Amino acid sequence: MIKKYILFIALATVGLFSYGQDANKAKSLLDDVYNKVKSYDNIYIEFQSSLENTEANIKQETNGNVTLKGEKYVLNYLGAEQLFDGKKVYTIVPENEEVTIEDVNEEEDNVSPSKMLTFYKTGHNYKWDILQNVGGRKIQYVKLTPIDSNSEIKSILLGIDTETKHIYKLIQTGNNGTKTTITVNSFKTNQPLSSTLFTFNEKKYEDKGYYITRN
């Protein structure tokens, strides 16, 4: 009985040590990604997005693009343009000829475009996951689980190109069963940008007759 107990302790200790090593490996890789992202003046990404909830019989797929510079961004997605100038978010929907202006809600439990490449830095536990070969590229996955037990997010898988240290894929699973997948098709850095790219021109949309609401 004593021998079995000692064996159990030994196996548990090895398991904890292995888990610790995996967590450290995962954190080290994410640190490499973070430092790489922060070294760029700006980033332009073209992506494919899918949202699926089997229980609710929902499946949507679409393409989009986003330009990031620090916290600022311009996102083109689902027929709308969203601009964040560092203070407010402007959502422009040409189909409805409508603009919505609102303050950023820091407490919202989601991955905003400006945090898409850095959100994992805090608030998560890390775990080393599978390695995939995608067209000759080695994509290492890291699994993130929120530390906050009240989070609406169950887990996030980040697929990282081991050579470039760029994020290739993000798979977010919600507690409600919704799975959101973002796959990066193009990743460009340090592009020439217009000085007014992240500036919202309200008069331009007023002249077009757009309905402007402030939340």
Side-chain angles (χ1 to χ4, degrees):
M1 182 69 180
I2 293 175
K3 285 183 180 179
K4 285 184 179 179
Y5 182 72
I6 292 172
L7 179 61
F8 172 78
I9 293 293
L11 289 172
T13 302
V14 169
L16 287 171
F17 179 68
S18 175
Y19 175 80
Q21 281 187 317
D22 280 355
N24 287 336
K25 275 200 305 182
K27 185 179 184 304
S28 178
L29 180 57
L30 291 175
D31 284 343
D32 288 343
V33 174
Y34 181 83
N35 291 331
K36 195 74 176 285
V37 166
K38 286 298 184 182
S39 72
Y40 299 128
D41 179 65
N42 62 70
I43 298 170
Y44 172 77
I45 297 171
E46 292 179 357
F47 61 88
Q48 181 180 40
S49 173
S50 70
L51 184 148
E52 187 172 2
N53 187 312
T54 306
E55 192 173 308
N57 198 27
I58 296 173
K59 187 170 185 178
Q60 298 175 343
E61 292 186 355
T62 188
N63 295 321
N65 63 72
V66 61
T67 301
L68 303 156
K69 183 178 173 67
E71 290 295 306
K72 299 177 182 179
Y73 66 82
V74 175
L75 170 69
N76 292 289
Y77 184 62
L78 293 174
E81 178 180 276
Q82 191 173 82
L83 184 155
F84 177 51
D85 62 6
K87 295 180 180 179
K88 293 184 180 294
V89 176
Y90 305 85
T91 304
I92 304 152
V93 186
E95 185 179 353
N96 300 336
E97 296 188 343
E98 185 178 76
V99 176
T100 303
I101 304 173
E102 54 193 332
D103 293 322
V104 176
N105 186 349
E106 294 290 347
E107 296 183 4
E108 282 187 357
D109 195 10
N110 55 26
V111 181
S112 69
S114 59
K115 293 182 173 62
M116 177 185 170
L117 302 176
T118 58
F119 73 92
Y120 50 79
K121 194 68 177 165
T122 58
H124 298 88
N125 292 314
Y126 312 121
K127 182 181 177 183
W128 199 252
D129 212 272
I130 64 170
L131 177 68
Q132 284 186 339
N133 188 310
V134 180
R137 300 161 64 190
K138 291 183 178 179
I139 307 298
Q140 176 62 55
Y141 282 86
V142 172
K143 187 173 185 179
L144 288 74
T145 51
I147 293 172
D148 181 4
S149 59
N150 294 319
S151 172
E152 294 178 3
I153 298 170
K154 183 178 179 180
S155 67
I156 297 172
L157 275 172
L158 277 185
I160 298 160
D161 187 316
T162 58
E163 183 177 347
T164 64
K165 300 298 190 294
H166 292 164
I167 294 175
Y168 164 70
K169 184 170 287 191
L170 180 153
I171 304 170
Q172 176 178 294
T173 304
N175 286 324
N176 63 356
T178 299
K179 180 182 286 187
T180 305
T181 302
I182 297 174
T183 304
V184 174
N185 295 326
S186 177
F187 192 107
K188 298 177 182 178
T189 61
N190 300 335
Q191 301 293 293
L193 301 179
S194 165
S195 60
T196 59
L197 181 63
F198 303 106
T199 303
F200 177 71
N201 185 343
E202 186 167 340
K203 187 176 185 307
K204 170 185 170 182
Y205 293 98
E206 285 178 343
D207 290 347
K208 286 184 177 181
Y210 276 46
Y211 181 70
I212 299 175
T213 58
R214 289 173 168 79
N215 293 338

